[in-house]
Amino acid sequence: MSWQDQEVRELKENKYILIDDEPCKIVEITTSKPGKHGEAKARIVAIGIFDNQKRSVVYPTKHKVKVPIIEKKTAQILSISQNEGLFMDMETFEQFNIPIPEEFKDRAKSGVEVEYWESMGKRKLMRV
């Protein structure tokens, strides 16, 4: 299990939420006043960490949502072929392939240490 439950009213901007089983960073939260027969609702706008898709959802403020557990790890680049790199985790020595984003192509070289994020079975290179 790489997520935990949290109430909507506890969420803040720049934190994370699971929308459609995709870890997303919250960019905006707006809360409405409670209505005559209902409770306050929160509109959450978030952007996917791994796919950069913008998503929005509306929930009652007391509703429980899933918050992903994001592990920030370091790895070393072993080799690079086209747009993908072979990485080795610095703690577990596990080897894996992940795509190298365009902004890191010039700095990503064999032997360089990088930071990557892992959540919900997905990995993404975050810093070189």
Side-chain angles (χ1 to χ4, degrees):
M1 181 171 96
S2 56
W3 51 267
Q4 61 193 23
D5 284 329
Q6 197 169 356
E7 281 192 12
V8 171
R9 62 190 165 104
E10 298 170 346
L11 298 175
K12 293 180 174 51
E13 288 182 13
N14 295 321
K15 298 293 181 196
Y16 301 94
I17 184 174
L18 274 180
I19 301 175
D20 302 329
D21 285 333
E22 187 68 37
C24 300
K25 184 175 186 175
I26 299 170
V27 292
E28 182 185 348
I29 296 179
T30 51
T31 309
S32 67
K33 292 181 178 154
K36 188 174 179 182
H37 300 290
E39 56 183 297
K41 290 192 173 45
R43 182 173 183 272
I44 301 165
V45 179
I47 296 177
I49 297 171
F50 298 110
D51 62 3
N52 288 326
Q53 290 267 315
K54 188 174 185 179
R55 296 172 170 85
S56 64
V57 290
V58 176
Y59 290 122
T61 54
K62 292 181 181 166
H63 185 79
K64 286 214 183 282
V65 293
K66 294 175 182 166
V67 175
I69 296 169
I70 297 170
E71 296 181 62
K72 298 174 182 177
K73 301 179 175 184
T74 55
Q76 184 177 24
I77 301 174
L78 298 178
S79 66
I80 296 173
S81 65
Q82 275 120 32
N83 300 335
E84 204 170 74
L86 176 64
F87 296 83
M88 179 180 68
D89 187 283
M90 298 301 279
E91 288 180 24
T92 64
F93 304 110
E94 173 193 2
Q95 293 183 11
F96 53 89
N97 289 318
I98 48 177
I100 297 174
E102 200 61 47
E103 69 261 27
F104 300 134
K105 291 228 192 305
D106 54 337
R107 293 179 285 159
K109 297 180 181 16
S110 294
V112 174
E113 276 191 29
V114 297
E115 179 184 311
Y116 73 96
W117 289 8
E118 185 173 22
S119 180
M120 302 298 290
K122 298 178 183 176
R123 296 181 172 118
K124 182 178 181 182
L125 185 63
M126 297 306 283
R127 186 170 34 221
V128 175

